[in-house]
Amino acid sequence: MGKIELMSEDLANKIAAGEVVEKTMNVVKELVENSIDAKSNEIKIELIDSGIKEIIVTDNGIGMDKEDAILAFSRHATSKLKTLEDLFYINSLGFRGEALPSIAAVSNVNLKTSNGEFGTEVEIDGGTIKEVKSSDLKKGTKIIVKNLFYNTPVRLKYLKSPYTELANIVDYVNKMALSFPNIRFLLVNNEKILLNTDGKGNLLKVISNIYGIDLAKKMIPIVGENEDYEITGYVSYPECARTTKNNIIILVNGRAIKNSEILKVIIDTYHTYIPESKYPIIILNINVDPILIDVNIHPTKMDIKFSKIDTLKDLINTTIKNKLESINLIPEIKSNLSIHNYHDDSFQKQNLNANINEDNIDNKQSENNLLEYPLDIDSTYNINDNDINISKLSKNQQNMNYLETKNENRIKKMYPVGVVHATYIIAENEDGMFIIDQHAAAERINYEKYLEKLGSNDNTNIELLVPIKLEFSNKDFIILKENMYILLNMGFVTEEFGINTVLIRNHPYWLPNYAIEESIRKIIDIVILTENFDKYKFIEKVAATLACKLSIKANDRITINDMEDLLERLRNTKNPFTCPHGRPTIITYSNYELEKLFKRVMN
Ligand code: ZN
Ligand code: ZN
């Protein structure tokens, strides 16, 4: 009788395991979150063959007593989690124990744990406890999961390539390291160190561990709050844009979540700063009273609903926007050969140290001491804890900086010296040499001008000497008629004129005289094509389209006086750094870089 029950439980475990444990990442996730729940501040994850052969997670947490160690792998173990919202109270990752039986059911598990008084070792094969004995572990927990899915070959077959499995694990551990900068994470695959953070609580340093020091230097701290929400984090300079959204990481009370609305507002904020289909790198932490969120959990993803999401979206938008508007965004050209070498160097050094220390891994002493691994690569960093610590900047300081830069031009005066291929203006000032794309620059100037005119509700207009007659398809004509008020609000005076035809009698005063018919056509095209009319988006689109149409082009010959005028007007724009499509308008060689390139300075 007892045996039958045991077998059915075994079966149930295997079935359940399929839901929770599909990838090696799921195992790592479960073990790491248990370690965090156990109040560890050092977590070491060692993999063999992307975890398919072996996963070892070692922590320095509170450990378990003998009873808990045995119960941990039983289905009957109860979860500490009372409600899903509990997850978002700090320090509760909630799933404690939930998936351990599932993992044990499809692998060989060895658990060593100690609560500081005495240690226990438990050996489990395919969900059955084989041996329980005392362990010499001093404090913490070490779990070895071997031969995942050895007894369910079908599942084994469904594992992705080792590369994909590993990429998922790295992605997950990166997110945890960013969520918990106070915990030291060490991730090793086949003895190669993939991530090594110091656990000292400096988020920027974690960013540099993950993305490299060059990128960390291009991350800007942000802080903002309203009545219900507080946001902190780092946003990248527009020039660091990537081709995937994967590097936009949203944390709620320190826990990584997915939320398409928040993601969208972040991407929109960078609109016109970076080209479409490129995305910034952002680590955004949202602190909120868990009462204000509603959590929905599926085994694989976490969905969150925020109350008052509009105020949160607004907060994120204005905080990031204000920041981007307060800094110099001219990309500097660097002969960064040396920087790359520098970085590779430190990486090799880490690996080298890892190899040296590899002998110690199984050594009893090191069992509980992660510090055997090379910890501090501080010496290779220019960033130190006091440097850019957002918590140390008070909100007032930040606002002051913002106001200061807001009232003056964002770039210094530049003096043109010539033009290359009738396209790139070369200019100079005391800081260095500048290259300006004449079309992109003119586009930015005109874009801001049209944006202002279109948003002003001033519908002063000019009468055309000869009205312009425009003919449309029957379908377009219907849409246009329905939206005619948009044109009227802009200052157009129109008149229906026969079948599917409109006469334009007056046009807004700010529309230049040349290319008038083409411009009107463009505007009407946008009116027809715009679904779900959103005034701001419409205005922006019209402004960008007209700016592109009506600005000097590449290959247009302009005089040095025109250049002077163009550069001065660019300097007076709100965002002189990019055209409305997100392409750069200016790049620079600093004096130092020029000297370096010509070997006038050596280093
Ligand atoms: Zn253009
Ligand atoms: Zn453009």
Side-chain angles (χ1 to χ4, degrees):
M1 189 63 190
K3 203 171 184 193
I4 291 167
E5 263 181 30
L6 216 76
M7 271 180 68
S8 66
E9 183 182 349
D10 177 54
L11 199 61
N13 281 344
K14 273 188 200 166
I15 293 164
E19 287 166 22
V20 189
V21 185
E22 288 173 326
K23 305 175 196 155
T24 52
M25 186 274 279
N26 299 133
V27 179
V28 172
K29 179 174 191 287
E30 177 64 19
L31 300 181
V32 166
E33 292 186 7
N34 279 329
S35 292
I36 293 171
D37 267 358
K39 300 183 168 60
S40 312
N41 56 29
E42 294 182 3
I43 300 171
K44 177 168 74 174
I45 304 130
E46 293 159 283
L47 311 170
I48 296 177
D49 294 350
S50 308
I52 297 167
K53 260 207 182 124
E54 193 171 314
I55 297 167
I56 307 176
V57 173
T58 313
D59 69 46
N60 65 350
I62 54 173
M64 290 177 260
D65 60 22
K66 189 175 170 181
E67 196 188 349
D68 280 348
I70 296 167
L71 267 177
F73 289 94
S74 147
R75 267 271 152 230
H76 306 297
T78 51
S79 167
K80 289 197 315 180
L81 188 62
K82 288 184 209 82
T83 69
L84 292 175
E85 280 70 24
D86 279 355
L87 282 179
F88 289 87
Y89 287 99
I90 295 156
N91 291 334
S92 169
L93 290 180
F95 285 120
R96 182 167 186 165
E98 220 46 6
L100 284 180
S102 304
I103 293 167
V106 292
S107 64
N108 307 124
V109 173
N110 176 279
L111 161 76
K112 282 183 189 171
T113 185
S114 168
N115 57 8
E117 283 168 36
F118 53 86
T120 310
E121 181 173 350
V122 183
E123 189 82 44
I124 303 138
D125 278 345
T128 311
I129 293 180
K130 294 289 177 195
E131 198 182 357
V132 179
K133 58 183 180 186
S134 64
S135 157
D136 48 11
L137 196 77
K138 286 186 192 87
K139 179 108 196 277
T141 299
K142 174 177 182 173
I143 299 182
I144 306 173
V145 175
K146 272 189 190 164
N147 308 318
L148 193 63
F149 300 133
Y150 78 100
N151 54 354
T152 51
V154 182
R155 296 215 173 280
L156 188 60
K157 232 173 64 188
Y158 279 112
L159 282 179
K160 299 276 190 306
S161 71
Y163 174 78
T164 311
E165 292 294 324
L166 187 61
N168 284 328
I169 293 173
V170 171
D171 199 45
Y172 167 73
V173 178
N174 283 349
K175 276 187 183 146
M176 294 314 278
L178 292 166
S179 308
F180 298 94
N182 287 311
I183 297 177
R184 194 195 150 201
F185 285 91
L186 181 66
L187 175 62
V188 183
N189 182 52
N190 294 345
E191 291 167 14
K192 196 176 173 202
I193 294 188
L194 301 175
L195 180 68
N196 183 8
T197 68
D198 68 9
K200 287 180 182 166
N202 185 328
L203 180 58
L204 190 59
K205 239 176 179 178
V206 179
I207 293 170
S208 81
N209 291 140
I210 293 170
Y211 294 100
I213 183 85
D214 288 351
L215 188 107
K217 284 180 186 163
K218 293 273 171 192
M219 295 297 283
I220 322 156
I222 53 159
V223 191
E225 65 181 320
N226 66 20
E227 235 172 82
D228 301 303
Y229 294 97
E230 186 190 294
I231 59 172
T232 58
Y234 285 89
V235 303
S236 68
Y237 275 64
E239 62 181 276
C240 307
R242 303 280 166 110
T243 49
T244 78
K245 297 174 196 166
N246 285 347
N247 301 299
I248 301 175
I249 293 166
I250 307 165
L251 310 167
V252 172
N253 295 355
R255 184 162 183 138
I257 60 130
K258 284 197 161 67
N259 182 293
S260 53
E261 276 187 85
I262 303 289
L263 187 67
K264 191 173 174 302
V265 81
I266 291 171
I267 293 169
D268 283 352
T269 305
Y270 272 78
H271 180 58
T272 85
Y273 278 98
I274 53 185
E276 241 154 75
S277 77
K278 289 253 184 167
Y279 305 95
I281 298 165
I282 287 189
I283 320 298
L284 178 73
N285 196 1
I286 302 167
N287 283 315
V288 58
D289 185 331
I291 287 170
L292 289 176
I293 51 180
D294 189 19
V295 191
N296 213 325
I297 296 180
H298 310 272
T300 47
K301 64 166 190 188
M302 183 168 294
D303 241 8
I304 276 209
K305 287 202 173 65
F306 298 90
S307 16
K308 304 192 192 172
I309 185 151
D310 287 337
T311 69
L312 175 60
K313 277 157 59 176
D314 200 51
L315 176 68
I316 293 169
N317 180 278
T318 49
T319 306
I320 299 177
K321 222 176 193 127
N322 287 348
K323 200 71 197 187
L324 290 175
E325 280 171 8
S326 70
I327 48 178
N328 183 339
L329 298 174
I330 303 178
E332 191 182 340
I333 300 167
K334 281 194 172 160
S335 47
N336 52 3
L337 212 67
S338 54
I339 294 168
H340 275 296
N341 286 342
Y342 197 54
H343 191 65
D344 287 351
D345 228 350
S346 64
F347 196 71
Q348 273 165 12
K349 208 160 77 193
Q350 289 180 46
N351 287 340
L352 198 70
N353 284 342
N355 289 338
I356 293 166
N357 280 302
E358 167 218 341
D359 293 337
N360 295 333
I361 295 175
D362 280 330
N363 173 315
K364 259 181 221 149
Q365 264 194 329
S366 69
E367 190 132 57
N368 216 7
N369 182 8
L370 307 181
L371 296 167
E372 301 279 323
Y373 275 88
L375 232 190
D376 250 331
I377 29 180
D378 275 21
S379 53
T380 59
Y381 286 103
N382 296 341
I383 299 161
N384 63 52
D385 300 77
N386 303 325
D387 226 9
I388 318 178
N389 195 337
I390 43 169
S391 58
K392 286 189 182 142
L393 279 177
S394 76
K395 210 165 171 251
N396 278 344
Q397 270 174 302
Q398 299 237 332
N399 285 343
M400 255 163 57
N401 288 343
Y402 169 57
L403 286 175
E404 267 165 24
T405 45
K406 193 70 185 177
N407 290 335
E408 54 196 44
N409 291 326
R410 295 178 62 189
I411 49 177
K412 283 189 190 164
K413 194 170 172 63
M414 298 174 289
Y415 303 89
V417 292
V419 64
V420 178
H421 296 317
T423 301
Y424 306 109
I425 298 168
I426 309 295
E428 66 177 342
N429 68 18
E430 63 271 35
D431 294 337
M433 181 176 104
F434 300 84
I435 306 173
I436 298 101
D437 179 323
Q438 68 181 35
H439 172 66
E443 220 178 22
R444 163 56 61 182
I445 295 162
N446 286 325
Y447 171 70
E448 291 194 4
K449 185 175 87 187
Y450 297 137
L451 212 54
E452 195 197 313
K453 303 286 183 206
L454 284 159
S456 70
N457 291 328
D458 172 3
N459 55 8
T460 313
N461 56 32
I462 294 173
E463 193 179 339
L464 284 154
L465 286 176
V466 182
I468 295 171
K469 199 170 93 179
L470 299 171
E471 223 179 357
F472 298 90
S473 76
N474 47 2
K475 187 192 158 207
D476 285 354
F477 188 69
I478 293 166
I479 303 173
L480 178 61
K481 260 179 76 172
E482 205 179 292
N483 293 297
M484 201 60 93
Y485 72 97
I486 300 170
L487 293 181
L488 301 181
N489 288 344
M490 284 170 75
F492 285 100
V493 174
T494 64
E495 186 182 312
E496 214 174 305
F497 188 77
I499 302 160
N500 301 337
T501 304
V502 171
L503 266 193
I504 309 288
R505 292 200 171 277
N506 298 43
H507 69 80
Y509 74 98
W510 46 265
L511 213 56
N513 262 324
Y514 59 95
I516 195 98
E517 184 169 341
E518 212 187 337
S519 305
I520 295 171
R521 268 276 178 200
K522 285 271 170 205
I523 294 171
I524 293 180
D525 281 350
I526 298 170
V527 172
I528 291 168
L529 288 171
T530 306
E531 291 166 46
N532 311 325
F533 189 75
D534 166 334
K535 189 176 179 212
Y536 184 71
K537 283 214 169 105
F538 171 77
I539 284 176
E540 204 179 40
K541 190 126 192 236
V542 171
T545 307
L546 291 181
C548 186
K549 205 75 242 163
L550 304 174
S551 297
I552 48 158
K553 302 272 179 298
N555 297 318
D556 283 350
R557 300 254 159 218
I558 58 172
T559 66
I560 202 96
N561 286 339
D562 293 338
M563 292 176 212
E564 259 168 30
D565 182 50
L566 185 77
L567 295 186
E568 194 48 26
R569 280 161 59 193
L570 180 64
R571 198 163 82 93
N572 288 318
T573 59
K574 286 189 195 123
N575 168 16
F577 309 107
T578 54
C579 85
H581 310 97
R583 290 196 299 108
T585 52
I586 318 170
I587 53 179
T588 181
Y589 282 94
S590 68
N591 288 333
Y592 174 73
E593 274 306 318
L594 288 170
E595 283 169 2
K596 213 165 90 179
L597 282 165
F598 288 101
K599 310 286 182 214
R600 286 169 179 272
V601 290
M602 305 293 268
N603 64 43

